[in-house]
Amino acid sequence: MQVRALVFGDAVKSPGASASSSGALPAPQGLSTAEAAQRLATEGPNLLPGSKPKSTAAIVREVLTEPMFLMLLAAGGIYLALGDRAEALFLLGFVFVVIGITLMQERKTQRALESLRDLSAPRALVIRDGQELRIAGRDVVRGDLLVLREGDRIAADALLLDGQLEVDESLLTGEAVPVTKLPSTSNVDKPVAKAAEFAVTGSNGAAALFASTVVTRGLGMAEASAIASATAVGRIGADLAATLEPPSALQQASRKLVRRLGLGALVLASLQVLLGWWWDGRPILDSLLSGIAFAMAILPEEIPVILTVFLALGAWRISKQKVLTRRATAVEALGAITILAVDKTGTLTVNRMAVAELATVDAHFTPDSASDLPEPFHELAEFAMLATPGDPFDPMEKALQQFGHRWLAGTEHVHEGRLPEFEYALSGEILAMTRVFASADPTQHLLATKGAPEAVADLCHLSAERREPIQHQIEAMAERGLRVLGVARGRWSNAAVASGADPSWPKSQHDFDFEFLGLVGLADPARPEVPDALAECRRAGVRVIMMTGDHPATARAIARQVGLSERPEVITGVEIAALDDTALRERLKQVDLCARLQPVHKLRLVQVLRAAGEVVAMTGDGVNDAPALKAADVGIAMGERGTDVAREAAALVLLDDSFARIVAAIRQGRRIDDNIRKATRFVFAVHVPIIGLALVPALLQWPVLLLPVHIVLLELLIDPACSIVFEAEPEDRGLMERPPRPVSSSPFAAAPVGYAVLQGLGIAAVLLLGFSWLAGRDWSAAQGRSTVFLALVLSVLLLILANRDLTRPALMGVTAANPWLGRMAAAVGLLLVAVLGMPWLRNVMGLEWPGTEGLAVAILLLALCGIWLEGVRRVGGRWLAARPDLKT
């Protein structure tokens, strides 16, 4: 949009500044697009030194230190020592295959993370070619004109040229009190490099602004003077921008589990080596091979891969729903959300406020039914405008200015460019703001006030008799879904001004005398998609609570319009402050609407709900919402109207501020959680028969059934099955028809692991009994091993089908859509054709062509495995229904 000359002339001036002292500025032009592009190419992007993506060498180094890889090398070395060069080369060749698969997975994860980082990068509002333009913070260059508003994180070191700001510089100075910034009059105030000089100009006229600090109040324009590592924060230390996100709770639990299983595998494998050497009298190298195979069978190294890939790609998939995930822990928590606390304005409503009604004690005015504004309402509209900044950011204040300019155009009631000499901001103690203007009489000042009707009436010191009809008007307007503001005017005399001294402003708005002018009702229509999204939340067992600063009747009216709750009861901030935590927790069980809230109330509500065992997601957009967003299990910031501070405190950011996006994110979170559980169950289930086929023959002095090379081949199937096939699983039927999973539920708990182990035990038993039966019929060890190996590989595919949906038979899973399932089946088929059909490869692996009879036996064994899995599913049906942690 075209930048007006008075945009920055309307900023709040310091006490004592006169309205005439600041004339209209020429429209700022800023850099040209070509000049900005040239500087970006010459000086580089505006990025602090930070973490870089893993290099290929780093990934290979990590692979080389993995336990599975080390065991693979050990097995290859033993084959060489035994003189089996073909087996050794074949086994060691898989080293490169493992490295290739790992690189592919890492690169896929890295691309997802990089795309998320690009979305989450700070953004800046700059002026280029005379136009306001929202760009990525990395594209800010020296000389850019930055437009700064409340809640913005400053993108570069800069010099304030116009306006007035209060800036939180605690990141640099450690001081929590915001610092006042005033426009520069010379080059003296340019940002300085040394940390010790941050506050050199003091709070009485500092114009230096620093990158990464936060605007807490005001509106201003500044010129960028330093970017990237040349900024003050860039020189303090590169580690500031290189903070790594800690692993999620699920990732920590999985790593602990894998470490324990790895230690157990080492102990049991060592015991097996000793038993084979001493008890069976087998050569030590053969015993070592058997022990390595057993350790490889036990170690579920796929678990960390599952979580890393699923959470990263899950966040990427959620971003496709226009919801940016800033922390991986949010993906975990989405599936467990029980309460969704939402603001009304901009979340349930479209955040496009318009004045819908004016009311005085004696009359009402609605814009829809009139062609001009009656005279009795002129003063009310005039002082509503005077109490509002000339170029406001808040949608409600924009609506007031637009209304005044439309209905008062051409009258003496419009004071374009008139600047206040002093201003009292909205506070927790007084929910009203007052702007003080000079008048024709130098000893007199004009006061314009707007705010919560109750607060404005209190400032006017109205009697109970005068308040009663006003209160009836407020309630009637609020019942119609209007947000109601009170407006008042006043005059203030100060004898000191007549003598030329600066006025000594009273400490509080209560020290003035005001005259109540009337009420302004503003309408913000509900978003059309909200009713359906709320209905979906109810079906999913997610309770929605409205937390708003509006009047209780307004909250009730909007809740009725969108179908948020059938319960009309409302709790207010005053009531919340009067209750202790226990009483508030009980009250919240009966109330879905919270009105007249201040940020401290929202924070307390979140804390009380979490203490009651709820998993809370909360929406917010302002600087003051940041503590509550951070305290919630899933903080959700508004991307369009939200401040940078709110976005950084939140775990999720809505890119288009639509409530339906929140519900879509919950749906995706549940799908991701389901798929993690499916993949984890599959990994545990598939490892049990591998362990059994590696351990039991050694204990019973049978021929070896599984060699390290066999296990490596199986791993080549298991890895993509759990990290690709299950990640791409579509959502289950009835996904949003069931209650949230318990917050304590874990895929590594005894119940889901036990279910998986039960699946694997049956397959292991069938295959071992099948080999025993074949041995009893005088089949050779190689032929029996081939038949069992064929059945084992096919059972991997069977376990994938069985764990896709525990509510249906395994074979029914073939019909469900999954783009990778067919490719997985083709990979299994190709592997079996290569291993059994190529003589050289068959000899290397110690196998024989099983023949028609062997193929028939393998199919029979597979059918018995399928019967076992179906039996487990049917018998475990009641158990499954009673255990939400097993549900998928």
Side-chain angles (χ1 to χ4, degrees):
M1 75 180 180
Q2 184 67 35
V3 181
R4 303 196 335 269
L6 292 176
V7 166
F8 301 103
D10 288 337
V12 180
K13 298 298 176 183
S14 60
S18 67
S20 61
S21 64
S22 176
L25 298 173
Q29 293 298 307
L31 298 176
S32 67
T33 302
E35 188 177 4
Q38 182 180 2
R39 292 192 182 185
L40 182 63
T42 304
E43 301 180 9
N46 179 31
L47 294 174
L48 292 174
S51 58
K52 297 180 180 179
K54 284 183 186 176
S55 65
T56 301
I59 297 173
V60 172
R61 186 168 59 251
E62 286 184 5
V63 173
L64 295 178
T65 57
E66 285 289 330
M68 182 65 73
F69 182 82
L70 295 176
M71 287 187 283
L72 204 60
L73 287 180
I78 292 171
Y79 273 121
L80 283 176
L82 290 172
D84 296 331
R85 291 186 179 181
E87 289 86 342
L89 292 175
F90 183 75
L91 195 61
L92 294 175
F94 277 110
V95 169
F96 299 101
V97 178
V98 171
I99 291 175
I101 291 176
T102 306
L103 280 171
M104 182 183 69
Q105 290 172 335
E106 284 281 355
R107 288 288 174 240
K108 190 173 183 180
T109 302
Q110 195 66 46
R111 282 195 298 270
L113 293 175
E114 286 170 0
S115 66
L116 292 174
R117 272 198 292 269
D118 289 342
L119 284 172
S120 64
R123 303 187 69 78
L125 186 63
V126 301
I127 298 174
R128 291 182 181 172
D129 297 317
Q131 304 288 327
E132 284 189 4
L133 182 65
R134 182 74 66 178
I135 64 173
R138 58 171 290 144
D139 295 332
V140 171
V141 299
R142 278 189 317 105
D144 261 328
L145 293 182
L146 306 176
V147 180
L148 301 172
R149 301 177 185 271
E150 177 180 325
D152 286 349
R153 188 170 291 279
I154 300 172
D157 282 2
L159 184 70
L160 186 63
L161 301 179
D162 196 14
Q164 178 176 322
L165 304 174
E166 289 185 7
V167 181
D168 179 2
E169 295 183 344
S170 58
L171 176 72
L172 303 174
T173 65
E175 297 292 333
V177 179
V179 179
T180 300
K181 302 289 184 177
L182 298 174
S184 171
T185 56
S186 68
N187 289 332
V188 174
D189 288 328
K190 278 202 180 271
V192 291
K194 296 180 181 178
E197 297 175 310
F198 283 151
V200 68
T201 53
S203 60
N204 60 348
L209 303 174
F210 302 97
S212 298
T213 59
V214 178
V215 179
T216 60
R217 186 177 178 220
L219 169 71
M221 179 175 67
E223 180 182 347
S225 60
I227 63 170
S229 57
T231 62
V233 70
R235 278 187 287 266
I236 285 178
D239 59 340
L240 184 70
T243 304
L244 296 176
E245 181 183 341
S248 68
L250 207 56
Q251 287 173 317
Q252 290 175 335
S254 72
R255 291 173 185 176
K256 186 183 296 183
L257 176 67
V258 170
R259 280 197 301 269
R260 289 176 178 174
L261 289 174
L263 182 60
L266 181 61
V267 171
L268 292 175
S270 300
L271 183 61
Q272 184 185 9
V273 170
L274 292 176
L275 286 175
W277 184 34
W278 286 341
W279 184 20
D280 293 344
R282 294 161 57 189
I284 184 64
L285 293 179
D286 286 348
S287 297
L288 278 173
L289 272 179
S290 178
I292 289 172
F294 183 54
M296 292 171 72
I298 294 177
L299 190 64
E301 82 286 350
E302 303 90 356
I303 297 295
V305 174
I306 290 173
L307 297 178
T308 301
V309 172
F310 277 48
L311 294 181
L313 293 183
W316 176 76
R317 288 182 187 277
I318 290 175
S319 73
K320 296 298 184 183
Q321 302 291 332
K322 294 192 176 181
V323 180
L324 170 63
T325 305
R326 300 191 70 252
R327 287 191 285 276
T329 51
V331 179
E332 286 183 28
L334 279 171
I337 288 173
T338 59
I339 288 184
L340 180 56
V342 297
D343 188 21
K344 177 185 73 67
T345 305
T347 306
L348 300 178
T349 61
V350 296
N351 196 30
R352 287 198 294 270
M353 303 292 288
V355 175
E357 186 175 340
L358 298 183
T360 64
V361 176
D362 303 316
H364 284 264
F365 170 77
T366 54
D368 294 338
S369 60
S371 57
D372 57 7
L373 184 66
E375 184 65 33
F377 296 98
H378 282 200
E379 192 175 32
L380 174 58
E382 174 188 6
F383 277 83
M385 289 180 69
L386 284 174
T388 302
D391 186 52
F393 178 70
D394 182 78
M396 180 184 64
E397 294 186 327
K398 283 185 177 181
L400 291 174
Q401 288 289 357
Q402 290 167 358
F403 179 87
H405 281 94
R406 175 188 172 189
W407 293 95
L408 297 178
T411 71
E412 73 278 8
H413 298 288
V414 177
H415 307 279
E416 195 72 58
R418 189 171 184 178
L419 302 173
E421 292 200 358
F422 196 74
E423 182 173 343
Y424 293 89
L426 191 78
S427 68
E429 292 74 27
I430 304 176
L431 295 176
M433 62 178 293
T434 297
R435 305 179 91 207
V436 184
F437 297 88
S439 67
D441 183 351
T443 66
Q444 293 279 328
H445 284 80
L446 191 67
L447 311 175
T449 297
K450 75 173 189 302
E454 300 92 335
V456 174
D458 185 54
L459 290 176
C460 294
H461 308 294
L462 299 180
S463 64
E465 291 78 14
R466 291 193 60 193
R467 288 192 186 200
E468 186 175 355
I470 294 174
Q471 187 61 34
H472 289 322
Q473 286 182 320
I474 294 169
E475 292 175 357
M477 294 171 73
E479 288 290 350
R480 293 192 290 276
L482 302 180
R483 181 168 184 177
V484 186
L485 293 178
V487 179
R489 60 167 291 170
R491 289 191 176 273
W492 180 68
S493 300
N494 191 329
V497 178
S499 62
D502 287 338
S504 177
W505 306 107
K507 292 183 178 180
S508 171
Q509 300 175 69
H510 277 296
D511 296 328
F512 295 111
D513 289 323
F514 292 96
E515 174 192 352
F516 192 83
L517 295 178
L519 303 171
V520 179
L522 298 106
D524 183 11
R527 290 181 179 271
E529 74 274 11
V530 167
D532 290 341
L534 286 171
E536 190 170 9
C537 281
R538 278 194 298 273
R539 292 194 299 271
V542 178
R543 180 185 171 200
V544 181
I545 296 179
M546 182 192 294
M547 294 186 183
T548 180
D550 282 346
H551 189 278
T554 306
R556 192 181 295 113
I558 293 296
R560 186 171 55 248
Q561 289 178 27
V562 300
L564 186 145
S565 174
E566 298 295 329
R567 299 188 286 197
E569 193 173 354
V570 182
I571 186 170
T572 65
V574 174
E575 294 176 79
I576 290 170
L579 297 173
D580 61 26
D581 287 355
T582 303
L584 180 58
R585 188 181 305 123
E586 291 301 315
R587 185 75 192 283
L588 287 174
K589 292 179 181 178
Q590 310 300 324
V591 178
D592 297 322
L593 308 179
C594 305
R596 281 288 186 254
L597 297 186
Q598 297 174 24
V600 65
H601 298 140
K602 293 183 180 181
L603 175 59
R604 187 171 173 224
L605 286 169
V606 169
Q607 292 170 334
V608 167
L609 288 168
R610 290 194 67 203
E614 305 286 357
V615 180
V616 182
M618 179 192 165
T619 67
D621 59 1
V623 176
N624 291 334
D625 288 332
L629 289 172
K630 203 163 188 177
D633 295 281
V634 182
I636 305 171
M638 303 295 108
E640 291 183 339
R641 64 187 174 91
T643 61
D644 285 348
V645 177
R647 286 193 287 267
E648 291 192 13
L652 300 178
V653 178
L654 300 184
L655 300 181
D656 64 356
D657 292 6
S658 170
F659 180 79
R661 302 297 182 188
I662 303 175
V663 182
I666 293 175
R667 176 185 290 273
Q668 281 290 328
R670 290 191 174 191
R671 186 192 71 83
I672 294 164
D673 182 74
D674 279 359
N675 290 348
I676 287 175
R677 292 167 187 274
K678 293 174 184 179
T680 304
R681 218 173 34 238
F682 164 76
V683 168
F684 283 115
V686 81
H687 271 269
V688 171
I690 297 174
I691 293 171
L693 294 180
L695 176 63
V696 172
L699 295 178
L700 299 181
Q701 299 183 359
W702 288 359
V704 175
L705 284 182
L706 285 186
L707 297 170
V709 68
H710 300 145
I711 296 175
V712 169
L713 276 175
L714 289 167
E715 291 294 335
L716 293 181
L717 296 177
I718 295 171
D719 271 349
C722 62
S723 63
I724 297 177
V725 177
F726 281 109
E727 195 282 327
E729 273 291 283
E731 66 180 54
D732 289 336
R733 295 168 299 164
L735 180 74
M736 297 295 282
E737 308 290 332
R738 66 181 193 233
R741 66 168 172 83
V743 67
S744 59
S745 170
S746 168
F748 311 121
V753 172
Y755 189 92
V757 168
L758 196 60
Q759 286 182 319
L761 282 175
I763 293 176
V766 168
L767 296 181
L768 287 169
L769 289 173
F771 182 79
S772 176
W773 179 73
L774 291 174
R777 297 188 61 196
D778 296 328
W779 282 39
S780 68
Q783 196 173 8
R785 183 187 298 124
S786 301
T787 302
V788 170
F789 182 76
L790 173 61
L792 178 61
V793 171
L794 291 175
S795 71
V796 171
L797 195 58
L798 187 62
L799 278 171
I800 293 174
L801 297 174
N803 283 286
R804 293 187 69 198
D805 185 354
L806 298 186
T807 64
R808 299 195 300 170
L811 292 180
M812 295 289 290
V814 176
T815 61
N818 185 316
W820 286 96
L821 188 62
R823 302 171 194 176
M824 185 68 196
V828 170
L830 288 174
L831 176 69
L832 290 175
V833 168
V835 168
L836 296 176
M838 298 174 62
W840 174 82
L841 188 56
R842 195 167 59 228
N843 292 334
V844 167
M845 298 193 66
L847 302 176
E848 288 184 7
W849 174 249
T852 305
E853 191 176 357
L855 292 174
V857 171
I859 293 173
L860 175 61
L861 293 177
L862 185 66
L864 293 174
C865 290
I867 293 171
W868 169 259
L869 292 176
E870 178 61 14
V872 170
R873 190 189 70 81
R874 288 180 178 273
V875 173
R878 294 180 182 176
W879 181 35
L880 173 62
R883 297 299 302 257
D885 53 351
L886 278 180
K887 277 194 174 184
T888 54

